[in-house]
Amino acid sequence: MAQNISARRGAAIAGFAALVLLALLAAFDNQWTQHWRDGRSAENGNAAHSWIAGPVRGLSALAWRATKESGEPSRLFYGMLAEPVIAVVLTFLLLMLVCRGVGAERGRWSLFLGSWFVTGLAASIALIAGSAIAGLRVAAGLADDPANARFGRGDIYYTLIALGLAFGLFAGWLVGFVAVLVYGSTEGGAQEERATREYPSPAMDYSDYSPSSVSSSSASPGSPDPESASEDYSFSPTSPYSSGDPAPGYSGYESANAATETNAPPQERDPSGGARPY
C-alpha cells in the first residue's frame, strides 16, 4: 500500500518553499527596485515589447514598500504591505495540503504542479484581501469607471485574480522546484522512518523449557526406553509460570524420573498389647 508524505516531511517541504517565495518578494518587489521594474515593464515605448516585460509585470503584482509616501493614507500602505505576507502564509498552508495528497515515493511531478498552482491561488487571495484592507482607492485604479468602483463588482475580483495567477505563472515554478528538491533530499529519512514502523515478528522463546540431562545409568529400571529418559523436557523451576514451590506435586510439570516418596499408613494402637486371641 502506497503511503503519502508524512506531516513532518510536508511541513519541511512547505516551509522551505515558502521561505524561497518570501526571499523572492523581498528582493524583487521592494520599493528600491521599483524604478528598475517600471523601466522594464513600461506599457509604452520599446520596453513594452521586450520578452522580459511580461514576467516583470507579473512578478510586480505583490509589490510592497517599507515607508509611506507623502500624503499616502495608512490604510493603503498597510494593505499593500499585507499582500506579500498573506501570500507567503497561504502558500505555506496550501502547500502542506498538497503534500498530504502526494505519495512518499514517486510524487515529484504531482508535487511540482501542485506547488505551481497553489502559488498563483495564494497570490490571488492575498491581492483580494490586501485590496479590501487598502480600500476603494485600489479598486478605483482597477475598475474601468473609478467613480463606480466597488468591491462587489465582478470585474474588480476578476482583475485581482488575473494578477495573482500571472504572478503564480512566473513565480510558481521556482516554488515547485524548491519543493521537489526538499522532497528528494528527505526521501532517505522517510524510508528509515517507514522501516522503523515495521516491527519484526517476535521470536519464539523456549527458554523456560530446558532439557534436563540425565545419564542413562540414572534411568529407572522400569523405563521402557532408556534413551528417552536421558532427555526430559521438564518445566524449569525458575519459570514465571511455576508456583515457586520446589516440592513435587505443586508445580505445573514434574519430571518423570523424580523420586517418589512412599508414606506408610498409620498403625492403630492395639489395646491387647499385640496378643491376638486367635
Side-chain angles (χ1 to χ4, degrees), residues 224-278:
D225 190 1
E227 200 170 328
S228 63
S230 62
E231 290 186 2
D232 179 26
Y233 286 84
S234 61
F235 195 74
S236 175
T238 60
S239 170
Y241 298 98
S242 63
S243 61
D245 190 0
Y250 290 93
S251 61
Y253 297 88
E254 188 172 289
S255 172
N257 297 325
T260 305
E261 182 181 355
T262 305
N263 296 326
Q267 299 292 333
E268 297 183 0
R269 185 176 180 181
D270 192 357
S272 60
R276 303 292 181 182
Y278 49 85

Side-chain angles (χ1 to χ4, degrees), residues 107-175:
R108 289 178 172 83
W109 279 110
S110 57
L111 179 61
F112 178 77
L113 295 177
S115 303
W116 199 337
F117 173 74
V118 299
T119 303
L121 180 61
S124 300
I125 299 174
L127 287 174
I128 294 175
S131 299
I133 297 173
L136 293 178
R137 184 173 179 179
V138 175
L142 298 175
D144 296 333
D145 187 5
N148 298 325
R150 293 182 181 179
F151 279 103
R153 294 181 55 181
D155 56 347
I156 301 296
Y157 292 99
Y158 176 79
T159 303
L160 293 174
I161 292 174
L163 290 174
L165 293 179
F167 174 84
L169 177 64
F170 297 108
W173 68 270
L174 179 60
V175 176

Side-chain angles (χ1 to χ4, degrees), residues 166-255:
F167 174 84
L169 177 64
F170 297 108
W173 68 270
L174 179 60
V175 176
F177 180 72
V178 173
V180 171
L181 284 181
V182 181
Y183 174 87
S185 62
T186 56
E187 188 173 3
Q191 293 178 356
E192 294 179 359
E193 182 180 358
R194 185 170 60 255
T196 55
R197 293 180 180 178
E198 299 176 358
Y199 298 99
S201 58
M204 301 301 293
D205 187 8
Y206 297 99
S207 59
D208 291 339
Y209 298 89
S210 58
S212 57
S213 301
V214 182
S215 60
S216 58
S217 60
S218 63
S220 59
S223 177
D225 190 1
E227 200 170 328
S228 63
S230 62
E231 290 186 2
D232 179 26
Y233 286 84
S234 61
F235 195 74
S236 175
T238 60
S239 170
Y241 298 98
S242 63
S243 61
D245 190 0
Y250 290 93
S251 61
Y253 297 88
E254 188 172 289
S255 172

